[in-house]
Amino acid sequence: MARKKLERFAENKAMHHVIEPKREEVLKGLDLQGKWGEKIFGNDKPIVLELGCGKGEYTLAMAQRFPEKNFIGIDIKGSRIWYGATEAKEKGLENVAFLRTQIELIDNCFDAGEVAEIWITFPDPQIKHTRIKHRLTHPNFLMRYQSILEMGGLIHLKTDSEFLHGYTLGLLQLMGFPIHKVMHDIDKQLKKGEESLLQEVKTFYEEKFRNEGKKITYIRFSFA
């Protein structure tokens, strides 16, 4: 297993669409900040992020469905990113990139208004009170997202955790942010063919949670 990981890390370094900066580089302000379209994609198409992307299932699916946009999957696990990066390369997807970094540093990686949309797919709900600041919808994270999103940019939260769903919904209402759509069980609330991205694209964890009989919830919101 250790050998496979080392091989994948080496392959990641050889792929131009995988960016793995050191923490010190990010803290200073990533040199790609404000230049992702120009330096990575060679265009000025809207940029969409998937946070905690894992193997990049959503990143890849969205890139194939929406060629008019650029997609960046972000995760701290290089061995997971390898799967998505390899598949993107094999399929010739030129509107896909992966960034290996901590999500709490996201505002050091993108410029103000550089991001059009953010997806948060099945994050760890961090249920313990001592872990509250690590929830990806904690106010500290929301402020970081707000600083890089364009005006009116959407954020999507898809999770099996009723706890995180409820926490996020209450927080958004308290902070007065616009909530565009809420579903407590997408299988029951969506008609067949409606919002196909939500129904048809499933991450590894979503499949696992569905097999356990858990409901899949969804929130779509913005900051303005």
Side-chain angles (χ1 to χ4, degrees):
M1 180 62 73
R3 179 178 291 180
K4 280 188 177 180
K5 278 191 175 183
L6 289 174
E7 290 174 353
R8 289 170 184 171
F9 291 157
E11 289 181 31
N12 280 349
K13 288 183 179 180
M15 290 190 275
H16 78 280
H17 59 299
V18 178
I19 294 84
E20 299 181 291
K22 295 179 181 178
R23 181 179 174 85
E24 294 74 26
E25 294 177 69
V26 178
L27 288 172
K28 291 177 182 177
L30 193 63
D31 60 359
L32 284 170
Q33 195 171 18
K35 302 173 184 175
W36 283 88
E38 173 192 348
K39 290 193 172 183
I40 299 300
F41 300 108
N43 59 57
D44 59 357
K45 295 177 181 178
I47 293 174
V48 181
L49 307 182
E50 183 192 2
L51 306 184
C53 68
K55 296 179 180 179
E57 295 100 324
Y58 251 86
T59 298
L60 294 168
M62 290 190 291
Q64 292 177 85
R65 290 170 182 239
F66 307 107
E68 71 278 8
K69 298 179 182 180
N70 296 320
F71 296 87
I72 303 173
I74 302 177
D75 205 293
I76 194 60
K77 300 287 188 180
S79 56
R80 293 177 186 169
I81 282 177
W82 175 85
Y83 287 96
T86 300
E87 187 173 342
K89 182 180 178 181
E90 290 173 348
K91 291 183 175 179
L93 296 174
E94 297 183 358
N95 61 333
V96 174
F98 290 90
L99 171 62
R100 184 184 180 189
T101 194
Q102 287 135 326
I103 295 171
E104 59 263 31
L105 302 178
I106 195 171
D107 50 338
N108 287 59
C109 299
F110 298 92
D111 218 345
E114 189 172 11
V115 175
E117 204 170 333
I118 293 176
W119 281 79
I120 308 172
T121 51
F122 299 91
D124 187 330
Q126 306 288 358
I127 292 177
K128 291 183 179 180
H129 182 70
T130 54
R131 300 288 296 174
I132 186 172
K133 289 185 178 180
H134 296 275
R135 294 172 193 162
L136 291 190
T137 55
H138 183 275
N140 290 349
F141 280 102
L142 294 181
M143 294 304 98
R144 290 183 173 97
Y145 307 153
Q146 187 175 25
S147 72
I148 63 174
L149 269 175
E150 66 182 22
M151 185 65 67
L154 296 173
I155 298 185
H156 310 260
L157 172 66
K158 192 179 182 186
T159 176
D160 68 299
S161 172
E162 293 183 30
F163 167 81
L164 184 62
H165 179 82
Y167 165 82
T168 304
L169 192 57
L171 184 63
L172 294 173
Q173 292 170 335
L174 181 65
M175 299 180 79
F177 292 137
I179 300 170
H180 301 275
K181 190 151 194 172
V182 176
M183 288 182 280
H184 302 283
D185 185 343
I186 65 172
D187 292 331
K188 288 185 177 180
Q189 292 176 253
L190 284 179
K191 297 177 183 177
K192 187 176 180 180
E194 184 183 7
E195 301 222 25
S196 60
L197 188 63
L198 289 177
Q199 295 192 71
E200 296 171 9
V201 180
K202 300 178 180 65
T203 69
F204 168 82
Y205 286 105
E206 180 171 354
E207 292 282 13
K208 177 177 180 292
F209 297 140
R210 283 179 177 277
N211 290 336
E212 293 172 359
K214 292 185 178 180
K215 297 177 182 178
I216 306 303
T217 69
Y218 173 77
I219 304 174
R220 181 160 65 229
F221 64 96
S222 63
F223 298 115

